[in-house]
Amino acid sequence: MTMPFEKTFPRVAPELLERAWTALQEVLSPGQVRRDEDTRTEYSKDESDSGIYPPDIIVFPESAEQVSAVFKTCQALGVPFTPCGARSGKSGGSLALMGGVAVSLERMNRIRSISVEDLTAVVEPGVITGDLMKAVEEGGLFYPPDPNSWQFCTMGGNIAENAGGPRALKYGVTKDYVIGLEWVLPSGEIIRVGRRTIKGVAGYDLVGLFVGSEGTLGVATEITLQLIPKPRHVMTALVIFDSVLAAARAVTAVLASGVLPRTLELIDDVALKAVDGRGFHFPPGSGSAVIIEVDGSVEEGLLAELARAGEICERQGATQTLVAQNEEQREKLWAARRGVSTALRALKPHKISEDIVVPRSRIPDIIEKLKAMGTELGLMVATYGHAGDGNLHANILYEGPHQRPLVETAIRRMLEMTVQMGGTITGEHGVGHAKRDYLALEQPPEVLALQRRLKAFFDPSGLLNPEKMFPDPKRF
Amino acid sequence: MTMPFEKTFPRVAPELLERAWTALQEVLSPGQVRRDEDTRTEYSKDESDSGIYPPDIIVFPESAEQVSAVFKTCQALGVPFTPCGARSGKSGGSLALMGGVAVSLERMNRIRSISVEDLTAVVEPGVITGDLMKAVEEGGLFYPPDPNSWQFCTMGGNIAENAGGPRALKYGVTKDYVIGLEWVLPSGEIIRVGRRTIKGVAGYDLVGLFVGSEGTLGVATEITLQLIPKPRHVMTALVIFDSVLAAARAVTAVLASGVLPRTLELIDDVALKAVDGRGFHFPPGSGSAVIIEVDGSVEEGLLAELARAGEICERQGATQTLVAQNEEQREKLWAARRGVSTALRALKPHKISEDIVVPRSRIPDIIEKLKAMGTELGLMVATYGHAGDGNLHANILYEGPHQRPLVETAIRRMLEMTVQMGGTITGEHGVGHAKRDYLALEQPPEVLALQRRLKAFFDPSGLLNPEKMFPDPKRF
């Protein structure tokens, strides 16, 4: 069941699993504990393409108390346990690498409250991000973070990974909207951290520490979010360039000019060709594209802002600027952007997606270097994503396992050049399993050691989501 | 030298101080170590009105290595040490309660770099916030956090306290702009955490944990900030009301309408009377005022946005809306707002300023309850501040130490009613010394215990900035 290039980890002894199976049935109802092959297969992978790791038992708690009981049971027995949500993660953060118990939060999927007056919402971790977006927008509010998977990913996963998305450019990422958490610590202890107000500095920022901890320091069982008023007007333009380099230079120039759109997305030539014609047709001869979206509470200024951005793009060689004339056109354009990942998957049997970030001035540089690397190694490289904040999804497409060593070389070189430019190896996908062995490229040993000690502070047994994020000092 | 209501803490033994004095001279130059009475007096207080605590020795390191050497020296000898910046703090966070060594970061005051292309800046902790603002604005960039003391507070202190300010409403607080830190841990170890890119999720968010840790987990010796393009246009209106309750209702109504100004400041009747005529004249008969400021990259939309907010205010009973016609009028208005604290100080010999936050819908409630409490206890209460995000500076003015028990009663009741409304006891000033004994009103014992253990994780000896933030379980 494993692919040839997967890493293998020690599995839990069968007799211990039997004891866990019995003990978990005592703290949960029958329908909440499973170990049939279909369920194990279903929960064995995510969207990271980094291997298949079936958990031995899958549980579906429905309250903080049940999550706590599961954690306590696993700790008492010494069985590894790994939380998961919609398994739409891109770094393997929810994979049960050692088997053991997968703790799915998907049944805790209620929106508990939305306050239009306070501009807040309280949700359970299994709420689908898109459902939250729709619900708050009905009340005139706005939840900005929009990971590509918003139609099916869950808020708990967004918290774990500190999810981003195109709108992060103007509005920030998940952590910028989480103000309070009900949190189950690895020990099973349930605590409440943070607050219900927009502002607050009482005590250490434990919310800040827990958001983005990738399911290694505990899980959220209730999330309090701050919202903003829904921007009343949105305007979207598609700007076409002959070359990706011109597009990248335009992105940098727009930002340096003082315009702050809510999105500045880039699609390179490979990605553009892959997605063209799948529900959206780019103008003939398009070499690369940038999607610029502006928003605000008053319509008057928006067209001027978009025009300004368009002019700057033209000075950088844009050949056409097309403004979406209605919501349908806008949605088609965004569907194309969201469809890039799937379209690229169709080009070759395998695809690895990295989500590097470079300082914004280095966007043209990194794109040029990635192109050159692809040519040199004979690999298809496609680059697209949130260029406005320097966050690019650099994809390597390949034929099969025989190319994997070459792919590994390409990934390492890509991450090395990113770090050399002052960048980071992950902008929004997380380290998880996929990038664990690369984190040392970016962070020095003393910082890795501090984080490992912090993990041990919260989880002395190390049973929660083992073998994630930080390279094993013994193996690295 | 202590006031009658100050708490006293054990002091360091004289022979130990002699050894520290000698050892510190070995790691620093002669002019960097002081213990003369004038310097001790100068470094004995901050802006919190919570007591006078002279440090025994004051050091002025000029590099991360020197800070590290000072920390290591203090740890080796067992002498308490407390970092400080401009001592403009409002919660006593920089007071050397047990004496020992005060570590002033004021000489590390260089802006190391500003990148217009990357929209980032790198500064030392002693840089004055206002100097940073001016420097980046010259390059068309913008550093939004604007604590009231921006003309003299320092960036290190802003990091320690996670400083806010009026613009937090639209732009967030200090932590939203800090992306990387060079940090000296309590042990003296120097680490680099965070990154140089706008986005990034590699590893735990140690930057998030350190910002707002009030000088108890270490100090920043270099700060990397993300900036935004400077909004090209700003428009400011002063809206006058008969009563503070009408003004508070207008604030809530504006936010619920979908307008997001960059500031929504409220000035109550007491504060308005105190500041009226000091460089700025409010219209005759003004009972309360709201300052609304909007900004954007295009002028067209702003007036419409301000007009919309003005209309909503009028529906809530505003009697006049005055729009600043030029930068001079704008600056005068803001000088009046910034002058409220000083003007109130002139009314009575003593003033305690709390910075409570309530969910936004409760702003009218809390203001009404505070007024009633003042009347009942016979104390003058003035409320003003960042009403847009629910963060109010509630001031109690009093005659002298004989009224202190009454003031303590008022503070406790104020904080209790804040917490009962779902609020927090501090929005931007921090807990420090002033609110340490009140934190248990808001946070349960298990969360306090977790934070105390986290402090011990980073600082096992507890010598860094002792007796701060968390109530002593023995004394509470």
Side-chain angles (χ1 to χ4, degrees):
Chain A
M1 217 172 170
T2 54
M3 295 191 208
F5 43 83
E6 279 171 35
K7 294 207 178 76
T8 53
F9 297 90
R11 304 281 305 192
V12 185
E15 60 277 14
L16 193 52
L17 286 174
E18 274 310 306
R19 288 172 58 199
W21 172 250
T22 309
L24 288 166
Q25 310 235 43
E26 279 163 23
V27 298
L28 299 174
S29 309
Q32 294 182 288
V33 194
R34 291 202 195 146
R35 59 174 172 182
D36 58 285
E37 276 308 308
D38 283 357
T39 308
R40 290 186 64 214
T41 303
E42 193 184 340
Y43 285 80
S44 68
K45 54 185 188 298
D46 67 356
E47 294 293 320
S48 67
D49 224 352
S50 64
I52 291 171
Y53 297 92
D56 296 301
I57 299 169
I58 304 94
V59 296
F60 301 89
E62 290 168 24
S63 67
E65 289 68 30
Q66 287 192 339
V67 172
S68 167
V70 168
F71 281 21
K72 283 178 178 168
T73 302
C74 291
Q75 290 283 9
L77 293 173
V79 175
F81 54 110
T82 301
C84 67
R87 286 157 289 123
S88 53
K90 295 270 195 179
S91 60
S94 68
L95 297 176
L97 299 178
M98 305 176 78
V101 178
V103 186
S104 169
L105 281 304
E106 69 195 76
R107 293 195 190 168
M108 293 187 68
N109 61 358
R110 280 191 320 132
I111 294 176
R112 291 192 180 168
S113 66
I114 294 172
S115 168
V116 174
E117 279 189 308
D118 289 336
L119 290 90
T120 55
V122 179
V123 303
E124 292 179 350
V127 168
I128 290 171
T129 308
D131 291 349
L132 170 71
M133 287 172 168
K134 269 175 232 147
V136 304
E137 285 179 33
E138 278 167 21
L141 301 175
F142 192 51
Y143 176 70
D146 56 343
N148 203 43
S149 53
W150 60 265
Q151 287 157 321
F152 45 94
C153 64
T154 57
M155 287 303 300
N158 288 188
I159 301 298
E161 304 298 323
N162 189 15
R167 296 178 196 151
L169 176 59
K170 179 169 177 179
Y171 290 114
V173 293
T174 304
K175 74 169 175 182
D176 299 311
Y177 295 89
V178 184
I179 57 177
L181 292 169
E182 180 186 67
W183 190 259
V184 184
L185 290 166
S187 64
E189 190 186 357
I190 304 169
I191 58 172
R192 276 191 176 272
V193 295
R195 47 191 206 279
R196 285 159 57 193
T197 54
I198 303 309
K199 219 170 169 184
V201 294
Y204 296 144
D205 186 6
L206 295 174
V207 170
L209 180 63
F210 291 156
V211 174
S213 61
E214 303 193 12
T216 67
L217 300 182
V219 295
T221 45
E222 185 187 275
I223 302 152
T224 305
L225 299 163
Q226 65 167 318
L227 306 166
I228 58 171
K230 188 182 176 192
R232 299 155 68 88
H233 305 280
V234 182
M235 228 171 254
T236 311
L238 175 67
V239 189
I240 303 297
F241 294 83
D242 283 339
S243 79
V244 63
L245 217 57
R249 285 197 199 107
V251 166
T252 303
V254 167
L255 289 167
S257 79
V259 176
L260 185 62
R262 80 173 186 184
T263 70
L264 254 182
E265 295 284 303
L266 181 137
I267 303 175
D268 85 348
D269 49 343
V270 180
L272 193 148
K273 270 194 207 90
V275 81
D276 196 11
R278 293 172 155 245
F280 185 88
H281 293 272
F282 286 87
S286 299
S288 179
V290 169
I291 304 174
I292 305 179
E293 189 162 275
V294 293
D295 67 3
S297 64
V298 183
E299 198 168 12
E300 287 86 333
L302 290 188
L303 194 59
E305 199 166 342
L306 205 54
R308 211 176 125 77
E311 277 162 34
I312 294 163
C313 288
E314 274 161 39
R315 257 177 270 145
Q316 300 294 328
T319 55
Q320 276 190 72
T321 300
L322 308 161
V323 178
Q325 298 301 311
N326 53 47
E327 188 56 28
E328 196 196 336
Q329 285 187 0
R330 230 194 108 237
E331 190 32 55
K332 269 195 180 161
L333 178 56
W334 278 111
R337 163 61 189 87
R338 278 197 303 277
V340 168
S341 183
T342 310
L344 286 174
R345 241 176 229 292
L347 292 185
K348 297 268 180 188
H350 293 276
K351 178 173 92 82
I352 287 280
S353 171
E354 299 295 331
D355 79 316
I356 56 174
V357 192
V358 291
R360 304 199 239 216
S361 61
R362 308 302 296 271
I363 299 166
D365 269 13
I366 190 84
I367 286 183
E368 203 165 14
K369 285 202 166 67
L370 289 174
K371 284 256 166 237
M373 183 189 76
T375 308
E376 186 195 326
L377 297 179
L379 286 168
M380 190 181 264
V381 176
T383 308
Y384 67 96
H386 323 310
D389 48 27
N391 186 195
L392 295 168
H393 298 307
N395 286 247
I396 300 170
L397 310 173
Y398 63 103
E399 302 294 345
H402 67 283
Q403 283 193 301
R404 187 71 194 197
L406 199 61
V407 171
E408 296 281 359
T409 302
I411 292 173
R412 179 166 286 272
R413 279 176 55 177
M414 179 191 299
L415 299 181
E416 277 171 354
M417 66 177 75
T418 299
V419 171
Q420 272 159 24
M421 286 186 190
T424 175
I425 64 169
T426 174
E428 53 184 26
H429 291 172
V431 176
H433 174 46
K435 286 186 186 165
R436 186 187 182 201
D437 289 341
Y438 300 111
L439 188 58
L441 292 177
E442 181 177 336
Q443 297 187 345
E446 64 274 16
V447 174
L448 294 174
L450 174 63
Q451 292 174 94
R452 271 193 300 261
R453 287 198 297 126
L454 205 51
K455 162 70 172 162
F457 169 87
F458 282 100
D459 182 23
S461 70
L463 290 168
L464 173 63
N465 210 350
E467 303 285 348
K468 295 282 172 73
M469 284 185 90
F470 309 110
D472 183 342
K474 292 192 298 288
R475 300 183 334 130
F476 198 70
Chain B
M1 214 171 169
T2 56
M3 295 192 210
F5 43 82
E6 280 171 34
K7 293 205 180 74
T8 53
F9 297 91
R11 304 282 304 193
V12 184
E15 60 277 16
L16 194 51
L17 287 175
E18 274 309 307
R19 288 172 57 198
W21 174 250
T22 308
L24 289 166
Q25 311 235 45
E26 279 162 24
V27 298
L28 298 175
S29 309
Q32 294 182 291
V33 194
R34 290 202 195 147
R35 61 173 170 182
D36 58 284
E37 277 308 308
D38 283 358
T39 309
R40 291 185 63 215
T41 302
E42 193 185 340
Y43 285 81
S44 68
K45 55 186 187 297
D46 68 354
E47 293 293 318
S48 68
D49 224 352
S50 64
I52 291 170
Y53 297 91
D56 296 302
I57 299 170
I58 303 95
V59 297
F60 302 88
E62 290 168 23
S63 68
E65 290 67 31
Q66 287 193 339
V67 172
S68 166
V70 168
F71 282 21
K72 283 178 178 167
T73 302
C74 291
Q75 291 282 10
L77 292 173
V79 175
F81 54 110
T82 302
C84 67
R87 286 155 291 122
S88 54
K90 294 271 196 180
S91 60
S94 67
L95 296 176
L97 298 178
M98 305 175 79
V101 178
V103 186
S104 169
L105 281 305
E106 69 195 75
R107 293 196 190 167
M108 294 188 67
N109 62 357
R110 280 191 320 132
I111 295 176
R112 292 192 180 168
S113 65
I114 295 172
S115 167
V116 173
E117 280 189 306
D118 289 336
L119 291 91
T120 55
V122 179
V123 303
E124 292 179 349
V127 168
I128 290 171
T129 308
D131 291 347
L132 169 71
M133 288 172 167
K134 270 176 234 148
V136 305
E137 286 180 32
E138 277 166 21
L141 301 174
F142 192 51
Y143 176 70
D146 56 344
N148 203 44
S149 52
W150 60 266
Q151 288 156 321
F152 45 93
C153 64
T154 58
M155 287 303 300
N158 289 187
I159 301 298
E161 303 299 323
N162 188 14
R167 297 177 194 152
L169 177 59
K170 180 169 176 180
Y171 290 113
V173 293
T174 303
K175 73 169 175 182
D176 299 311
Y177 295 88
V178 184
I179 57 177
L181 293 169
E182 180 186 67
W183 190 260
V184 184
L185 290 166
S187 64
E189 190 185 357
I190 304 169
I191 59 172
R192 277 192 175 271
V193 296
R195 46 191 206 280
R196 285 158 56 190
T197 55
I198 302 309
K199 220 169 166 183
V201 294
Y204 294 144
D205 186 5
L206 295 175
V207 170
L209 180 63
F210 291 155
V211 175
S213 61
E214 302 192 11
T216 68
L217 300 182
V219 294
T221 45
E222 185 187 275
I223 302 152
T224 305
L225 299 162
Q226 64 167 316
L227 306 167
I228 58 171
K230 188 182 176 191
R232 299 156 67 88
H233 305 280
V234 181
M235 228 171 253
T236 311
L238 174 68
V239 189
I240 303 296
F241 295 83
D242 282 339
S243 78
V244 62
L245 218 58
R249 285 197 199 106
V251 166
T252 302
V254 167
L255 289 166
S257 79
V259 176
L260 186 62
R262 81 174 187 184
T263 70
L264 254 182
E265 295 284 303
L266 181 136
I267 303 175
D268 86 347
D269 48 343
V270 180
L272 193 147
K273 270 196 207 92
V275 81
D276 196 11
R278 292 173 157 245
F280 185 86
H281 293 271
F282 286 88
S286 299
S288 179
V290 169
I291 304 175
I292 306 179
E293 189 162 275
V294 294
D295 68 3
S297 64
V298 183
E299 199 168 10
E300 288 86 332
L302 290 190
L303 194 59
E305 200 167 340
L306 204 54
R308 212 176 124 78
E311 277 162 32
I312 295 162
C313 287
E314 272 161 39
R315 257 178 270 145
Q316 300 294 327
T319 54
Q320 277 189 73
T321 301
L322 308 162
V323 179
Q325 299 300 310
N326 52 47
E327 188 56 28
E328 195 196 335
Q329 286 187 0
R330 232 194 107 235
E331 190 32 55
K332 269 195 181 164
L333 179 55
W334 277 110
R337 163 60 190 86
R338 278 196 304 276
V340 168
S341 183
T342 310
L344 286 173
R345 240 176 231 292
L347 291 185
K348 298 267 181 190
H350 293 277
K351 180 173 90 86
I352 287 281
S353 171
E354 298 295 330
D355 80 314
I356 55 174
V357 193
V358 291
R360 305 199 239 219
S361 63
R362 308 302 296 272
I363 299 165
D365 270 13
I366 190 82
I367 285 182
E368 203 164 15
K369 284 203 167 68
L370 289 174
K371 283 254 167 239
M373 184 190 75
T375 308
E376 187 195 327
L377 297 179
L379 286 168
M380 190 182 263
V381 176
T383 308
Y384 67 95
H386 324 311
D389 49 27
N391 186 193
L392 295 168
H393 298 307
N395 287 247
I396 300 170
L397 310 173
Y398 63 104
E399 302 295 344
H402 67 284
Q403 283 193 303
R404 187 72 194 198
L406 198 62
V407 171
E408 297 281 1
T409 302
I411 293 173
R412 180 165 287 271
R413 277 174 59 178
M414 179 191 298
L415 299 181
E416 278 171 353
M417 64 178 75
T418 299
V419 171
Q420 272 160 23
M421 286 185 188
T424 176
I425 63 169
T426 174
E428 52 183 26
H429 291 173
V431 177
H433 174 47
K435 285 187 187 164
R436 185 185 181 201
D437 288 341
Y438 299 112
L439 188 59
L441 292 177
E442 180 177 338
Q443 298 186 345
E446 64 274 15
V447 174
L448 293 175
L450 174 63
Q451 292 174 95
R452 270 193 300 260
R453 287 197 297 126
L454 205 51
K455 162 69 173 164
F457 170 87
F458 282 100
D459 183 24
S461 71
L463 290 168
L464 173 63
N465 210 350
E467 303 285 348
K468 295 283 172 72
M469 285 184 91
F470 310 110
D472 183 343
K474 293 191 299 290
R475 300 183 334 129
F476 199 70

